[in-house]
Amino acid sequence: MLEAKLAEASVLKKLLDAIKELVTDANFECSEEGITLQAMDNSHVALVAVKLVQNGFKKYRCDRPMPLGVNVGSLTKVLKCAKDDDICTLRAADEADVLNLVYEAKNSDRISSYDLKLMDIDAETLGIPKTSYEARIVLSSAEFTRIVRDLSLLGDSVRIEVSKEGVRFASDGEAANGNVLLKGRGPIGKVDRGPQGDDEDEEDGDGVKKEKKHEDDDDEDEAGEEEEGGKKKDKAKVKKEKSDDGDVEMDEDEDEIQPDEDGEEEKEDEEDEDGDGDGKKRKKKSKSSPKPAKKAKTVPSSKSKKGKAKADDGDDDDDEAVIIQMNSHVSLTFSLKYLVNFSKSSNLVKRVELYMSNDVPLLVSYDFGQGYIRYYLAPKIGDD
Amino acid sequence: MLEAKLAEASVLKKLLDAIKELVTDANFECSEEGITLQAMDNSHVALVAVKLVQNGFKKYRCDRPMPLGVNVGSLTKVLKCAKDDDICTLRAADEADVLNLVYEAKNSDRISSYDLKLMDIDAETLGIPKTSYEARIVLSSAEFTRIVRDLSLLGDSVRIEVSKEGVRFASDGEAANGNVLLKGRGPIGKVDRGPQGDDEDEEDGDGVKKEKKHEDDDDEDEAGEEEEGGKKKDKAKVKKEKSDDGDVEMDEDEDEIQPDEDGEEEKEDEEDEDGDGDGKKRKKKSKSSPKPAKKAKTVPSSKSKKGKAKADDGDDDDDEAVIIQMNSHVSLTFSLKYLVNFSKSSNLVKRVELYMSNDVPLLVSYDFGQGYIRYYLAPKIGDD
DNA sequence: TCCGTTATTG
DNA sequence: CAATAACGGA
């Protein structure tokens, strides 16, 4: 038996709007931890993974794991019948063949109830790509949308290149070629966060080599780069790279940046679980407990994003700052069509995270408070 | 000779926008009382009746009745040439074959003049359905629009059911079933207004029977339910039904709720023709002269609507309150396609009134100050 | 109120 | 398959 109450139907509406063109049918896997969905797009080029964590619900109960097979288009229609601020309750009995959605107007007297027919969907085995990456970029989701949309006017694919220069998005088209370079706020750091909410140290990647792995410096000073560590430091520290640039080496494993598989930790970072203060204080925390146990394993967890949003109190519009972390030079080419599609999720949250390693699928992660939506996209073969 | 000057062209523009998809050609019947139009939709399933009352015009003169046959599409085009706030004057000579429309910019120096070719249209005999109903619902026109639009995503038809629970709109579709329940403000009253601006008494319909006719109680207390009677009372009186519920019986004729055929009375109710006070005071009036001469015959006159808007001074957002009046349980099924079309008129006025009786066409009435647009739609046969 | 997207018609 | 109109969203 499932009963999940969302304070605002809008989250669900946005999520389904985001995936409805990618996926036609999918299983919503409900369990004690929350609800997840994983599906390949119809052409099996992209993979979407959605998670709604249990504590993101106003009320959540799921006695035993149950997959709810839904037609995404139908669910989208049903969700269109909800107003954004309606309280939305999902219910499904064990073995039920319908999912019941109830919308209650905040102010009272309208109650709508919808029964969506469920279907059996083969739980296709989805290989979630590797979870550690050579590079991580965090930027405004709106800016990401703009970049891929702009470039999609010129060509079909985009080469994303992370170097000490910053991140470059480049597309070649018949009529014109174009590229966008994002400099990143402060020095380019190698790692920004630990997957579990630990604080990682960073080194700046300014001394990027043209080939992979090299230049990993572990000065935590550079940590200023990380979202939490501190915007404030960034300014002061920019280009504070030690002499170590160029001769760094990190364990492949440890230095890799990886997304947090668990959406829950975010809470900690985000809502100052630490109890040491509000989110902004966290910045302090980062500094205090800075020496990282390990210097890599960055996770794109919601925490990261969240942490950032809050931690970035300091200077200016944090939402606009670009954070670049890189262990080694990365250059990959992707289909813009998919990236444009992914960027629809930007209405869920202000920041998006990109994780990349050469020859490995790109991970585009939108972590919102109550969960995340992540997209994996295989690079085009002939990438430079 | 006709000369009719409207202070704002927008009214006419909206009216024609509303009917242009339903009707291709129609006669504008001009007489001393104003201008009316009645037409069946092309498939003869729905009927539209528009009235612009004489005193809704800034200036009105019509020496003798004259039908002006126009192509609605053409008139719509001509009206698109008017700005919303232009002063719009319609002129037609006796026996003329053109209708002249002049638009004067409020502030001055632009005067546009258009001559629309007229045509002879057979005055088809339109049977306006019965004018008394078992149930009346008044709600936000925007909400009505939303409900029918939402449900139209799921299925082709909607079952509208009025019971003591409230009004339920339900639609079954291939992928999902859905329903919206509106609770109504305060207790469900049987009758709310007399057609002529008389004060009717009401009883609440809480003790509704499953079959028609029954439960008519004449306690004026319940009158609080009516729009004029008073929102204020509603809160206090909710469920104040006397013991009489359940054993009422009303004359079929007298208890029926019917739309006001005359657009003018509204003025009386609305603008305190009685001169005993302003609209709000009217509430008082209702109570003072409560013992109804007759207890039914409710009319959907504009007065009703208007009265409500004003009478509903009390509590909250009157525009959102749902008013339900019912003599007996009603359940009918209608084509959503038409209802969606009707709901285009919601840009004319904030409230819409629905009148229903079993096995009889639904009346959807938008009464704006200067007249009304009403739609009649036959129920689908197999309705429960 | 204007722009973009979607659906319908030719 | 393309163009036009309608509907929905920003």
Side-chain angles (χ1 to χ4, degrees), chain A residues 19-31:
Chain A
I19 66 174
K20 71 166 188 284
E21 286 178 31
L22 223 45
V23 181
T24 56
D25 301 298
N27 278 322
F28 280 76
E29 302 282 353
C30 307
S31 70

Side-chain angles (χ1 to χ4, degrees), chain A residues 369-381:
Chain A
Q370 304 144 63
Y372 60 71
I373 180 166
R374 293 179 185 165
Y375 301 93
Y376 297 86
L377 179 64
K380 285 194 172 184
I381 37 174

Side-chain angles (χ1 to χ4, degrees), chain B residues 255-365:
Chain B
D255 283 8
E256 290 187 335
I257 302 166
Q258 42 186 233
D260 178 4
E261 250 327 296
D262 202 350
E264 275 102 357
E265 272 93 83
E266 55 178 314
K267 284 297 179 186
E268 301 177 15
D269 282 37
E270 183 184 348
E271 292 305 340
D272 41 88
E273 289 247 333
D274 31 328
D276 68 348
D278 53 45
K280 299 178 178 184
K281 299 301 165 45
R282 222 169 323 123
K283 193 180 311 177
K284 192 183 306 174
K285 186 180 80 173
S286 309
K287 295 170 184 174
S288 61
S289 61
K291 280 308 156 286
K294 41 179 152 300
K295 67 185 62 178
K297 304 279 186 193
T298 298
V299 205
S301 67
S302 25
K303 97 183 69 182
S304 299
K305 191 199 318 305
K306 295 280 185 164
K308 186 191 316 317
K310 291 187 175 183
D312 288 357
D313 51 334
D315 344 87
D316 43 69
D317 49 332
D318 323 287
D319 295 341
E320 295 309 318
V322 177
I323 292 172
I324 300 171
Q325 292 157 350
M326 174 185 64
N327 289 336
S328 62
H329 181 272
V330 173
S331 179
L332 292 163
T333 301
F334 302 98
S335 161
L336 277 166
K337 168 187 159 193
Y338 285 96
L339 296 183
V340 168
N341 195 312
F342 298 168
S343 70
K344 285 188 179 181
S345 297
S346 59
N347 57 359
L348 278 161
V349 60
K350 285 181 168 182
R351 306 281 289 178
V352 61
E353 298 167 69
L354 310 179
Y355 291 81
M356 291 184 287
S357 285
N358 287 318
D359 304 319
V360 155
L362 162 73
L363 163 56
V364 180
S365 178

Side-chain angles (χ1 to χ4, degrees), chain A residues 97 121 151 216 220 334 346:
Chain A
D97 59 352
I121 298 174
L151 294 180
D216 5 2
E220 70 243 49
F334 302 98
S346 59

Side-chain angles (χ1 to χ4, degrees), chain A residues 212-319:
Chain A
K212 293 183 180 182
K213 90 193 33 144
H214 24 289
E215 68 161 327
D216 5 2
D217 336 64
D218 322 32
D219 25 309
E220 70 243 49
D221 291 280
E222 300 317 302
E225 200 43 9
E226 67 183 335
E227 33 200 14
E228 303 183 345
K231 280 298 154 36
K232 291 178 179 175
K233 290 179 68 178
D234 294 349
K235 292 297 174 61
K237 294 166 42 184
V238 176
K239 292 308 171 189
K240 186 185 176 184
E241 64 270 355
K242 305 293 175 56
S243 59
D244 27 61
D245 69 40
D247 56 84
V248 250
E249 88 318 347
M250 49 187 177
D251 291 8
E252 278 304 306
D253 292 313
E254 291 199 323
D255 283 8
E256 289 187 335
I257 302 166
Q258 44 186 231
D260 178 6
E261 249 330 295
D262 203 351
E264 273 104 358
E265 274 91 82
E266 55 177 313
K267 284 297 179 188
E268 301 178 16
D269 283 36
E270 182 185 350
E271 293 306 339
D272 41 272
E273 292 245 333
D274 31 330
D276 66 350
D278 52 45
K280 299 178 179 183
K281 299 301 165 45
R282 224 173 318 124
K283 193 181 312 176
K284 192 181 308 173
K285 185 180 79 172
S286 308
K287 295 170 183 175
S288 61
S289 61
K291 281 307 154 290
K294 43 180 153 297
K295 65 186 63 180
K297 303 280 186 194
T298 300
V299 206
S301 68
S302 23
K303 97 183 65 180
S304 300
K305 190 198 319 307
K306 293 282 185 164
K308 184 191 317 315
K310 292 188 176 182
D312 288 358
D313 50 334
D315 345 84
D316 40 74
D317 47 333
D318 323 286
D319 296 340

Side-chain angles (χ1 to χ4, degrees), chain B residues 13-152:
Chain B
K13 294 180 65 168
K14 289 173 184 168
L15 279 174
L16 273 114
D17 267 349
I19 66 174
K20 72 167 188 283
E21 285 177 36
L22 223 45
V23 180
T24 56
D25 302 298
N27 279 322
F28 280 75
E29 303 282 354
C30 306
S31 72
E32 287 184 348
E33 289 86 37
I35 301 176
T36 61
L37 175 154
Q38 289 190 359
M40 301 288 290
D41 84 292
N42 297 321
S43 56
H44 282 236
V45 172
L47 189 154
V48 203
V50 176
K51 178 160 194 173
L52 285 167
V53 301
Q54 156 268 129
N55 58 24
F57 290 92
K58 193 169 179 177
K59 178 178 176 183
Y60 188 85
R61 172 190 164 194
C62 185
D63 305 327
R64 63 190 189 78
M66 52 198 294
L68 305 177
V70 306
N71 175 279
V72 175
S74 301
L75 178 52
T76 301
K77 285 181 183 172
V78 169
L79 284 169
K80 286 203 174 181
C81 301
K83 291 190 64 179
D84 277 359
D85 61 346
D86 280 351
I87 295 166
C88 171
T89 306
L90 310 178
R91 285 195 189 82
D94 291 337
E95 311 300 334
D97 62 349
V98 297
L99 171 63
N100 174 245
L101 295 96
V102 173
Y103 310 139
E104 298 170 69
K106 272 240 162 34
N107 47 67
S108 66
D109 41 12
R110 178 175 47 77
I111 297 184
S112 316
S113 175
Y114 297 82
D115 283 328
L116 177 73
K117 291 185 177 56
L118 296 178
M119 56 205 294
D120 284 327
I121 297 174
D122 291 343
E124 55 182 335
T125 308
L126 304 170
I128 293 287
K130 71 186 288 189
T131 57
S132 55
Y133 295 87
E134 290 296 312
R136 171 174 181 261
I137 294 111
V138 186
L139 71 160
S140 153
S141 53
E143 182 156 40
F144 179 63
T145 299
R146 179 76 203 259
I147 291 169
V148 296
R149 184 175 295 166
D150 282 354
L151 294 180
S152 71

Side-chain angles (χ1 to χ4, degrees), chain A residues 164-208:
Chain A
K164 70 174 181 183
E165 252 195 314
V167 204
R168 185 183 301 277
F169 299 80
S171 180
D172 291 346
E174 296 178 3
N177 300 337
N179 75 78
V180 177
L181 173 65
L182 298 180
K183 290 290 190 57
R185 158 91 65 104
I188 292 176
K190 186 190 334 189
V191 174
D192 90 312
R193 292 195 46 81
Q196 300 309 319
D198 310 330
D199 300 300
E200 271 69 59
D201 55 329
E202 271 81 63
E203 65 262 309
D204 72 81
D206 284 74
V208 181

